[in-house]
Amino acid sequence: MPYGAIRYETSDGVAVITLARGQVMNALNTSMRAEITDALHRAGADARVVVLTGEGRAFCAGQDLGDGTDLATLDLERVLREEYAPMLASMHNCPVPVIAAVNGVAAGAGANLALAADVVIAAESAGFIQAFTRIGLLPDAGGTWFLPRLVGQARAMGAALFAERISARQAADWGMIWEAVADVDFDHHWRARAAELAKGPTRAYLAVRRAMLAGAGNDLAAQLALEAQLQGALGIGRDFAEGIAAFHEKRPPRFEGR
Ligand code: LHQ
């Protein structure tokens, strides 16, 4: 699929998807959703980590509200089921870890797209806005699933009802994201983080995601059984053997992601 609404680059095991509609703050339209979905599938084969970021001063302003579509007659249920859900699923099920490098404002579905990543790193000047109720909607793109898990019910409800801008620093303090980084260091920092994960034990990272997310729906016995099952599979993998060898040889491990 040729890309026009995003850019896709890979190097040294890192795939970078850049939302590239800077003139509208990288607002999401049908093409961009299809391209992100496609690129996430591709990245799973091309790289050992994928980074989602935005061009210009925004990460993503959510649904494109100004592309001429008559929003009053748009079938929102269809758009969410057929275009947003596959995009979120391709992120959530991506066979390599996903980093959202939030370079600027992330609003509406743009905020929740970021929160679907495994790790969110934001520039200090960035912010997150659950903008939906400002236009009479509820948080979609997974917002009602991710937000309460990340920050708890009280903060999720406040963020949705007041629809205020939550600064990157506050988001980090709340545990909504992994870290807020000074703007001058941001680019270098997320690239270093991505490079680190690209050299890591990919299968272990995916097992971490799976177990962490399953925990909310499991009782302790079921979760211990899942951990045992996943650890059993990792225990016969090459990366575990390499990790143990490196430990004994007092050297950094050379993981292959297998
Ligand atoms: C935009 C947008 C935008 C187009 C800024 N679209 N142009 C799913 C299913 C289907 C339909 C409904 O929605 C959904 C899910 C959703 O995502 S609903 C939520 C949609 N997003 C929003 O409500 C956010 C709207 N934008 C804003 O609140 C502000 O623009 C933010 C806070 C993002 C940035 O504020 P400022 O930094 O003050 O910039 P600005 O407002 O001046 O915007 C700059 C330009 O970007 C401007 O264009 P212009 O030609 O005047 O320079 C905006 O019109 C354009 N823009 N967001 N979503």
Side-chain angles (χ1 to χ4, degrees):
M1 169 187 275
Y3 298 144
I6 64 166
R7 288 193 302 279
Y8 178 80
E9 288 136 342
T10 54
S11 121
D12 297 328
V14 180
V16 179
I17 299 172
T18 306
L19 309 184
R21 302 183 72 228
Q23 70 286 4
V24 287
M25 304 194 95
N26 303 318
L28 292 155
N29 61 8
T30 296
S31 325
M32 190 188 261
R33 286 186 284 272
E35 290 177 23
I36 294 170
T37 307
D38 186 81
L40 284 163
H41 286 298
R42 208 167 135 185
D46 285 355
R48 283 171 63 187
V49 61
V50 53
V51 180
L52 192 64
T53 192
E55 74 168 24
R57 71 182 178 94
F59 173 75
C60 175
Q63 170 72 25
D64 192 333
L65 301 176
D67 67 354
T69 307
D70 181 0
L71 292 168
T73 57
L74 182 67
D75 183 347
L76 300 195
E77 181 171 351
R78 185 199 62 74
V79 173
L80 289 170
R81 282 183 192 277
E82 294 179 8
E83 298 182 15
Y84 277 88
M87 177 177 69
L88 272 299
S90 63
M91 210 146 149
H92 201 56
N93 302 322
C94 191
V96 296
V98 182
I99 295 176
V102 180
N103 52 299
V105 66
N112 296 332
L113 181 64
L115 298 184
D118 295 307
V119 173
V120 185
I121 300 170
E124 249 174 3
S125 62
F128 297 81
I129 312 173
Q130 293 294 326
F132 306 86
T133 55
R134 290 184 184 177
I135 56 169
L137 296 178
L138 90 157
D140 58 26
T144 59
W145 199 83
F146 293 114
L147 259 189
R149 279 175 168 71
L150 291 166
V151 300
Q153 181 80 356
R155 283 171 169 160
M157 285 297 289
L161 267 52
F162 296 114
E164 287 172 1
R165 177 181 180 281
I166 298 163
S167 70
R169 179 63 51 204
Q170 185 169 25
D173 289 348
W174 279 7
M176 197 167 97
I177 65 169
W178 166 240
E179 58 189 350
V181 180
D183 286 17
V184 288
D185 300 324
F186 176 69
D187 204 56
H188 175 77
H189 186 82
W190 69 252
R191 287 181 191 281
R193 288 289 200 194
E196 188 181 333
L197 292 189
K199 292 191 181 72
T202 313
R203 287 179 62 234
Y205 295 150
L206 298 182
V208 172
R209 178 203 287 155
R210 192 168 152 204
M212 291 285 187
L213 290 169
N218 277 342
D219 62 20
L220 180 61
Q223 190 67 10
L224 291 174
L226 176 65
E227 288 176 1
Q229 179 210 326
L230 293 170
Q231 206 74 298
L234 293 174
I236 55 171
R238 292 167 66 130
D239 280 345
F240 176 57
E242 165 61 11
I244 293 297
F247 172 77
H248 288 303
E249 292 161 23
K250 300 190 188 302
R251 61 168 175 81
R254 289 182 295 269
F255 292 122
E256 296 168 41
R258 286 190 276 165

